[in-house]
Amino acid sequence: MIKIKSVGGDVLFAGDYVCLKDAVNAAVGARANLDGAYLARANLAGAYLAGANLTGAYLTGATGVNKYITTPLFLYLDQPGDMVAYKLVKHNNEGPFQGGIKYKIGQEADVGDANTDETAQCGAGINVATLDWCIRHLEDDYKILVVSFRREDIACIPIASDGKFRLRHCKVIGEKNLEELGCVAK
């Protein structure tokens, strides 16, 4: 019996498998939520991770993971010129989790010591995301800003990200209309 446990010790998925890689493949196939899975030092060579929810998974030391099949965000690494992503902020224009930086339309934000650890889903930096990620995490007093950045501004795209990545620098270029997105009643 192989059990995939969370960092806190809860069993997320279990079954009779030969190895952890087979259990992970079965869990992904069953659409099990592996959010926060403890997979440190696991040999995941050949594991099919596309579509797996590994948000918050502890992957430090895991081997055989082809990061390029764990999230479509790696497309940003091949884009020339200016790109856009979205920044979830509270009503006071600070990020909802750590705060500190004020994001205002027309202004730039910089974080010189952004976390570059690909195995850390969250870390220091300007955490931006896809629009669907922002909508899924939207709360009543939040808003969604549009930010512009370039390839060299990317600090880290976490392995198996569910839509979030970190920047060193960006410029706030706009705000999404939450009514148009269907997030608030007209």
Side-chain angles (χ1 to χ4, degrees), residues 42-145:
N43 180 355
L44 298 174
Y48 182 72
L49 299 175
N53 180 2
L54 293 170
T55 305
Y58 188 76
L59 296 167
T60 302
T63 61
V65 177
N66 181 343
K67 66 183 181 182
Y68 298 106
I69 64 170
T70 66
T71 178
L73 292 175
F74 287 106
L75 73 89
Y76 278 119
L77 299 179
D78 295 322
Q79 301 303 309
D82 291 337
M83 297 176 270
V84 297
Y86 304 92
K87 176 67 186 161
L88 191 62
V89 296
K90 296 185 289 187
H91 69 281
N92 65 356
N93 289 339
E94 287 186 4
F97 305 110
Q98 295 297 321
I101 301 173
K102 292 276 189 186
Y103 297 93
K104 295 182 182 173
I105 295 173
Q107 294 185 354
E108 297 182 12
D110 285 291
V111 175
D113 61 346
N115 184 321
T116 59
D117 181 359
E118 295 177 318
T119 64
Q121 293 295 318
C122 290
I126 300 166
N127 287 277
V128 297
T130 57
L131 184 57
D132 66 301
W133 188 96
C134 290
I135 292 171
R136 285 194 313 270
H137 293 86
L138 193 64
E139 293 189 16
D140 287 341
D141 65 338
Y142 290 3
K143 51 188 171 179
I144 301 172
L145 301 178

Side-chain angles (χ1 to χ4, degrees), residues 19 52 65 105 150 183:
C19 62
V65 177
I105 295 173
R150 298 180 69 79
C183 299

